[in-house]
DNA sequence: AATAGACACAACCGCGAAATA
DNA sequence: TTATTTCGCGGTTGTGTCTAT
């Protein structure tokens, strides 16, 4: 274990200088790097290659510890670093990888060429903070579902448990042996299911492997509304409710905001969540928005709909996903909540309110907006729900499910 | 214009694993 | 085999910028 130099900071131009007792007794500089320091480091690496970071100071006179040199090189000076904000594709990949392997920044960054672990970590921490404050789930619902399917063995993970790529370049594919979706098993001891038969596994009609469109649908947790309802009896309806599936939308509420047509459900917000090849033509799709495994694996039923939940449950710092993810967690990171409400948002709020019955919305859909969430955040959530719930023409008898 | 809060980014720190003496 | 050094990772903090109030 290296013994860090005792630190007695003193101010110097461009950063503090500290006593370095460990290696040579020189004074170590801290704080921002200067162009001259960068030049020294770059020159050293050009001559000797990466590594031997503690030798940098000996050989160049640079008053930086080896650790600082390594960090500066890795995060700022090495070639092929990509600059600028993350693309939607990169953001989505980060979400997927993080959902699978957690805070393994170095492993995650290995899958994003030109991006550093520090960069990704900063991105994630900012995102985490924002979503916690807004009371939102950590992952978009489809990512949660993707991870749950991976855990259930229905999807090949994009990385293995160690974060090594398995099929990064290819889109997620259903396991060839698992040619159907099954509803995740309900928690066996949940009171909501005491007297309800477990739902039958849901199956797509037809062989999904030979149906490109169904295969695409399988990659993203979209289920055709008709297929969902056809596969669900009363018990399954309860189960679907418990999963957090949104209520069916009456035909009378099919209008979309003026900037969105039914044939184009993929606006900028949608683009942040869905990869291009995962969006399906047409609008008659319904997203299953909850990953119950992620809920009951944590022994936290607070995310279950009120009335089904056995109790309010206590929430801890890490409960955001399990608490709120099951109902309305579709608030995307690329969209910064505006403090003021743009006119388009106000319109969206009205329209979404109309879809769900105005004030009842709060009682019916999300249990309630968390206290920490701002009105604008909540409005954005509602607008996102519209994206996720494009209008579906339904037979009249299906409206009774509401 | 001043202020506060949010955010992005850079850098530091502690720790543990791997490598080396 | 043990002690020491080096390296890398993840968590945390500090700072500058932007935006809303």
């Amino acid at each position: 274990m290296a013994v860090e130099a005792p630190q007695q900071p003193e101010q110097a131009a461009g950063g503090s200088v500290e006593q370095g007792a460990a290696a040579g007794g020189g004074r170590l500089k801290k704080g921002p790097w200067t162009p001259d320091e960068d030049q020294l480091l770059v020159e050293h690496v050009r001559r000797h290659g990466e590594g031997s970071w503690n030798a940098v100071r000996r050989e160049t006179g640079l008053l930086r510890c080896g650790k600082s040199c390594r960090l500066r090189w890795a995060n700022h000076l090495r070639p092929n670093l990509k600059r600028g904000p993350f693309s939607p594709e990169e953001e989505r990949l980060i979400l997927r990888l993080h959902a699978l392997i957690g805070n393994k920044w170095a492993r995650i960054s290995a899958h994003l060429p030109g991006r550093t672990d520090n960069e990704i970590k900063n991105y994630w921490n900012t995102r985490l903070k924002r979503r916690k404050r807004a009371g939102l789930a950590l992952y978009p619902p489809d990512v949660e579902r993707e991870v749950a399917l991976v855990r259930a063995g229905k999807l090949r993970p994009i990385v293995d448990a160690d974060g090594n790529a398995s099929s990064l370049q290819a889109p997620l594919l259903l396991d060839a042996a698992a040619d159907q979706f099954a509803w995740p098993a309900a928690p066996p001891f949940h009171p909501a299911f005491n007297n309800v038969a477990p739902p039958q596994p849901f199956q797509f009609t037809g062989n999904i492997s030979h149906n490109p469109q169904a295969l695409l649908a399988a990659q993203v947790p979209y289920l055709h509304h008709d297929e969902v309802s056809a596969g669900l009896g009363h018990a399954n309806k309860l189960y679907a409710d418990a999963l957090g599936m949104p209520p069916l939308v009456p035909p009378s509420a099919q209008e979309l905001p003026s900037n969105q047509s039914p044939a184009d459900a993929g606006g900028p917000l949608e683009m942040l969540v869905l990869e291009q090849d995962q969006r399906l033509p047409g609008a008659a799709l319904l997203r299953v928005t909850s990953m119950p495994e992620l809920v009951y694996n944590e022994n936290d039923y607070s995310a279950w709909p009120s009335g089904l939940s056995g109790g309010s449950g206590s929430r801890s710092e890490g409960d955001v996903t399990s608490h709120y993810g099951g109902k309305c967690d579709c608030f995307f990171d690329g969209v910064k909540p505006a403090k003021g409400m743009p006119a388009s948002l106000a319109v969206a709020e009205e329209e979404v309110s109309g879809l769900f019955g105005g004030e009842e919305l709060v009682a019916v859909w999300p249990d309630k907006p968390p206290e920490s969430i701002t009105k604008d955040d909540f409005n954005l959530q509602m607008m996102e729900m519209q994206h996720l719930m494009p209008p579906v023409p339904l037979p009249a008898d299906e409206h009774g499910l509401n």
Side-chain angles (χ1 to χ4, degrees), chain A residues 93-212:
Chain A
L93 183 55
I94 291 170
L95 296 185
R96 293 162 71 192
L97 289 166
H98 187 276
L100 286 167
I101 64 177
N103 295 3
K104 305 295 182 186
W105 310 120
R107 292 182 192 279
I108 292 174
S109 69
H111 299 302
L112 286 104
R115 299 298 190 177
T116 69
D117 54 352
N118 207 40
E119 203 175 5
I120 295 169
K121 181 172 57 182
N122 285 335
Y123 163 78
W124 180 263
N125 286 338
T126 301
R127 176 182 187 279
L128 179 68
K129 190 176 169 184
R130 188 162 69 234
R131 294 186 72 98
K132 271 191 174 183
R133 187 173 53 246
L136 300 170
L138 299 183
Y139 308 106
D142 54 323
V143 170
E144 289 193 2
R145 178 164 183 81
E146 185 177 304
V147 171
L149 289 172
V150 166
R151 290 178 182 173
K154 301 297 181 186
L155 285 178
R156 291 199 201 98
I158 57 177
V159 293
D160 62 22
D162 293 326
N164 300 314
S166 58
S167 59
L168 263 187
Q169 297 311 313
L172 289 179
L173 294 175
L174 277 178
D175 188 318
D179 215 4
Q180 65 182 37
F181 271 133
W183 289 104
F189 48 88
H190 192 279
F193 298 99
N194 279 352
N195 300 311
V196 177
Q200 295 303 305
F202 174 78
Q203 295 186 24
F204 283 103
T205 54
N207 187 326
I208 193 170
S209 290
H210 301 106
N211 183 337

Side-chain angles (χ1 to χ4, degrees), chain A residues 86-96 123 272 333-334:
Chain A
F86 289 107
S87 69
E89 291 75 21
E90 287 176 317
E91 290 185 348
R92 182 166 174 80
L93 183 55
I94 291 170
L95 296 185
R96 293 162 71 192
Y123 163 78
L272 291 173
D333 310 297

Side-chain angles (χ1 to χ4, degrees), chain A residues 17-80:
Chain A
V17 176
E18 303 182 347
Q19 291 292 339
R27 300 164 72 84
L28 287 178
K29 187 179 174 190
K30 293 175 64 176
W33 281 62
T34 66
D36 287 345
E37 290 177 312
D38 284 346
Q39 185 58 40
L40 282 173
L41 181 55
V42 167
E43 188 63 20
H44 175 85
V45 174
R46 191 181 64 79
R47 288 178 183 167
H48 302 96
E50 296 183 40
S52 304
W53 299 112
N54 283 332
V56 175
R57 183 150 62 109
R58 289 193 301 269
E59 298 183 10
T60 67
L62 192 57
L63 298 180
R64 297 281 183 169
C65 67
K67 189 184 260 189
S68 182
C69 291
R70 185 186 63 82
L71 206 61
R72 182 66 183 174
W73 173 260
N75 290 341
H76 300 279
L77 300 178
R78 70 182 162 93
N80 302 323

